[in-house]
Amino acid sequence: MAVKFEQTGDGEYKLDVCGYSCPHPQVYTKKALQKMASGDVLTLVFDNPSSGESIIAMCDNEGNDLYERSNDGGMSIWKIRKA
Amino acid sequence: MSNEGSAVDVVMKREGWLAQAGNRYAAGIMGLILLGSLWALSIDTRYVYLLVYVWFGMVYGMFLQYGRFCMAAAVRDLFAVGVPRMAVGMMIAVALYSLIAATVTVGGFSTFHSNALGWHIVLGGLIFGFGIVFTGGCASGSLYKAGEGNVGSMLVIVAISFSQAIFVSAGTWFDGLLPSAWIESAAAKDMPAELSVTQGWFDIFTAGYVWDLKGATLAQILGTTNPFVSSYLVNTLLVTLLPTLAILVLLYAVYYKKGYLRRAKISAPALGDHARGMWSMFTSSKNTAIAGIGLGIFAGLQMWVTGALREHYQIYNFGELLSAMGHTDGLSIQETVFDPGYWYITTQEAQWGGWILEKLGVNMTDNIFFGLDNGLPNPLLNAPGFMSIGIILGAAMLALSRREFKWKLPSMETAVFALVGGTLMGLGARIGMGCNIGAFFATVTNGDPSGWVYLFGMTIGGYLGVKAFNMWIERRSSQQDECEL
């Protein structure tokens, strides 16, 4: 079980932080977004619901567009477009 | 016909609700709590005193899970990701709890006791604040996350329980490091010999240092006698509301203003814009704000209900009720048990660890913490312990119903973090006289300024913890090929 950050296409990235609890998912999400360029899309996969609330606030604060959220059975797949 | 239709709809909806497995499990847990409550009441109606802790715990657990209300995040997320969400939620809960606590105090039902103020509060807060960055949750946060199926959080609870129990009863290993004035002062306290208060660092620390300090609410320090003035104006307005407002303004200015003004496209903000910005900060995470409101109100109500029950049974402490019901095992030498009457987390968890160690043959009652103050009741009769269990069950019910429950086994790294961080939390909680609930939340809201000192220590600890955490993940990232963060 390790954090996985990979480029999946042109301007598309994926970060998988499943198995980690606070504050790993939000800290890794912040770091991933710092590595990306404006307009790039991050697909974020995590399973720690508590981190979600902080990630929403973080995107809101920094102007990043969290445009898709799917949550099921404790697993979340979210898509964020960097501002 | 339309009535029939709606009745069918209701039945369908109900079946639909129960069709989801999570809802069935949640209903099952609720059923077990109700059956357990009825069983206890059928044995002796006086168990209602203990059940109040269970029910309030259950409500806390639901609000905590609903709002992802973890006070560790209040300081950690500020420094780690620049998010003030939880710090704001915590301040909302503090403001509301203080208003209800003032009303309860004026009504004569307050169960609150001040903490002695000294350097130990800063140090305890600092160690606790450092630990919570690594465990992923504060003491009550770990309970609600355990209810979401997080096994790592369960390990945190185990570490908090045993570390505290061992710290407070530890032998004479560190006695040589303590000032001799403390040992002399402890010896002068004329305590029963079986407590051996001049041996063991926590006993010497308690009897030789903490007992020589003063703890008081601001109204007591100022000597105001009018209950209305003391509770509302001095304790609530001066100790709680004004500092809370100052912190909220600071959070807005440092962490929220820039983003808000950019989003609202305001280049030359007036005072009204900042007021709207503050409101936007309160409402930006509705779940957190709602949880803050609910927790503030119910924490106040718990004090009132327990205070009223004490009046009804003419007791000061649950130990008297346990004695009257024939349960004298596990009482302290004052015939008391830990019974705060309000939201508290760490002491009852220390009692779980202490009780198990005693069953394993360790003498756990030759110390002030268990032997004199809190007792070591059987976990089945530990009223605040049931509040902690109630939090886990309440959170589990809501998580199951929201399809957010998931058994999550920790990695080796998370497990080590949980155990080491939990041990630091236990140590910090005992030095600082509680966790972020007992030493901060419950104190500042009742007019005891020592809680702000604890928060100050916890904030510094949180800052240092985030620094250490970032160093750790930088080091880890550089060692792993698949992670290029």
Side-chain angles (χ1 to χ4, degrees):
Chain A
M1 195 163 59
V3 176
K4 277 193 200 132
F5 179 57
E6 56 195 356
Q7 185 157 11
T8 51
D10 191 18
E12 289 176 13
Y13 294 83
K14 185 178 174 192
L15 174 67
D16 185 341
V17 272
C18 282
Y20 283 88
S21 56
C22 292
H24 290 81
Q26 54 263 51
V27 170
Y28 279 114
T29 304
K30 188 181 166 89
K31 280 180 168 290
L33 286 165
Q34 280 168 350
K35 293 259 170 186
M36 293 162 47
S38 178
D40 288 355
V41 168
L42 177 71
T43 302
L44 171 65
V45 187
F46 66 105
D47 59 0
N48 180 51
S50 300
S51 294
E53 207 71 30
S54 293
I55 291 166
I56 295 171
M58 196 167 76
C59 289
D60 211 24
N61 227 1
E62 291 170 12
N64 300 316
D65 183 17
L66 175 56
Y67 64 94
E68 197 180 303
R69 281 196 262 167
S70 86
N71 305 302
D72 194 32
M75 173 81 89
S76 299
I77 303 172
W78 291 8
K79 286 184 187 288
I80 303 167
R81 183 174 287 110
K82 186 173 174 176
Chain B
M1 285 300 281
S2 62
N3 279 349
E4 264 176 42
S6 63
V8 170
D9 280 351
V10 168
V11 171
M12 292 284 286
K13 259 187 195 160
R14 199 174 296 151
E15 283 178 351
W17 192 83
L18 278 175
Q20 201 215 106
N23 286 339
R24 285 201 301 276
Y25 284 124
I29 293 173
M30 188 73 219
L32 280 177
I33 294 173
L34 284 174
L35 276 177
S37 299
L38 288 173
W39 174 66
L41 289 172
S42 71
I43 295 171
D44 195 320
T45 54
R46 289 173 288 186
Y47 280 121
V48 72
Y49 192 94
L50 182 149
L51 292 172
V52 163
Y53 275 104
V54 181
W55 297 328
F56 273 98
M58 197 180 77
V59 173
Y60 295 151
M62 287 185 171
F63 277 119
L64 289 167
Q65 206 278 338
Y66 178 78
R68 323 272 186 229
F69 205 92
C70 173
M71 295 205 193
V75 287
R76 184 201 61 217
D77 280 4
L78 274 185
F79 301 129
V81 287
V83 168
R85 166 191 81 88
M86 217 15 264
V88 172
M90 185 167 86
M91 288 301 131
I92 292 174
V94 162
L96 277 165
Y97 181 20
S98 73
L99 287 167
I100 295 177
T103 310
V104 172
T105 307
V106 170
F109 291 114
S110 177
T111 55
F112 179 72
H113 293 285
S114 302
N115 277 344
L117 183 58
W119 65 264
H120 63 289
I121 302 274
V122 184
L123 182 66
L126 193 146
I127 298 171
F128 187 84
F130 190 86
I132 54 179
V133 175
F134 293 90
T135 53
C138 62
S140 44
S142 299
L143 288 172
Y144 95 71
K145 286 174 187 179
E148 289 177 341
N150 190 325
V151 179
S153 297
M154 296 174 197
L155 284 180
V156 176
I157 300 166
V158 171
I160 293 175
S161 300
F162 284 97
S163 64
Q164 289 186 93
I166 292 165
F167 289 142
V168 298
S169 62
T172 51
W173 316 328
F174 306 111
D175 292 6
L177 300 173
L178 299 174
S180 54
W182 289 9
I183 300 174
E184 287 162 23
S185 175
K189 294 296 187 318
D190 200 20
M191 280 285 121
E194 68 249 48
L195 294 175
S196 59
V197 295
T198 53
Q199 287 167 23
W201 76 270
F202 196 77
D203 282 349
I204 300 169
F205 164 72
T206 307
Y209 170 71
V210 177
W211 284 356
D212 293 338
L213 299 169
K214 289 199 167 47
T217 65
L218 187 62
Q220 288 164 342
I221 295 167
L222 297 177
T224 49
T225 49
N226 179 319
F228 187 85
V229 174
S230 300
S231 291
Y232 287 103
L233 291 182
V234 178
N235 285 345
T236 301
L237 185 66
L238 293 182
V239 179
T240 319
L241 296 182
L242 290 179
T244 300
L245 185 66
I247 290 173
L248 285 169
V249 169
L250 186 71
L251 290 172
Y252 170 74
V254 178
Y255 292 102
Y256 199 79
K257 187 176 73 178
K258 203 171 132 197
Y260 171 74
L261 295 177
R262 189 191 63 237
R263 285 196 302 280
K265 299 185 174 63
I266 299 168
S267 52
L271 196 62
D273 293 319
H274 290 310
R276 279 184 286 279
M278 288 275 287
W279 180 251
S280 156
M281 181 175 79
F282 292 156
T283 53
S284 65
S285 174
K286 287 197 178 58
N287 287 13
T288 311
I290 290 169
I293 293 169
L295 288 165
I297 291 172
F298 276 92
L301 282 178
Q302 186 187 5
M303 274 215 306
W304 180 72
V305 173
T306 304
L309 281 174
R310 284 184 191 172
E311 180 111 340
H312 175 72
Y313 289 118
Q314 296 289 304
I315 56 165
Y316 288 103
N317 181 280
F318 185 48
E320 297 164 64
L321 218 49
L322 281 173
S323 283
M325 290 192 284
H327 302 296
T328 50
D329 274 2
L331 302 183
S332 75
I333 54 175
Q334 305 181 86
E335 303 222 320
T336 57
V337 285
F338 179 61
D339 174 26
Y342 48 82
W343 189 4
Y344 209 103
I345 303 290
T346 45
T347 298
Q348 60 265 40
E349 294 177 356
Q351 288 175 313
W352 291 343
W355 186 82
I356 292 170
L357 288 173
E358 175 138 292
K359 291 289 159 213
L360 292 174
V362 185
N363 180 358
M364 298 300 288
T365 50
D366 62 343
N367 58 70
I368 294 170
F369 189 79
F370 293 127
L372 180 70
D373 286 341
N374 298 309
L376 261 183
N378 180 326
L380 292 173
L381 296 170
N382 187 335
F386 272 105
M387 177 161 56
S388 298
I389 293 168
I391 291 176
I392 298 177
L393 296 179
M397 276 191 274
L398 197 61
L400 283 162
S401 172
R402 297 168 90 191
R403 304 175 80 169
E404 290 177 350
F405 184 92
K406 186 183 173 203
W407 286 109
K408 207 161 42 169
L409 290 172
S411 62
M412 184 54 88
E413 178 190 341
T414 310
V416 171
F417 275 16
L419 293 174
V420 175
T423 300
L424 288 172
M425 285 165 72
L427 178 62
R430 289 295 39 100
I431 293 175
M433 303 283 133
C435 65
N436 51 302
I437 299 296
F440 165 68
F441 185 69
T443 56
V444 294
T445 46
N446 283 282
D448 176 356
S450 75
W452 292 118
V453 179
Y454 188 88
L455 183 67
F456 173 72
M458 195 174 124
T459 307
I460 296 173
Y463 178 78
L464 296 174
V466 168
K467 288 268 172 210
F469 181 83
N470 279 335
M471 278 163 60
W472 167 258
I473 54 174
E474 291 295 338
R475 184 172 161 268
R476 201 170 175 281
S477 301
S478 64
Q479 287 172 343
Q480 281 183 348
D481 294 337
E482 71 269 36
C483 174
E484 291 165 3
L485 288 170

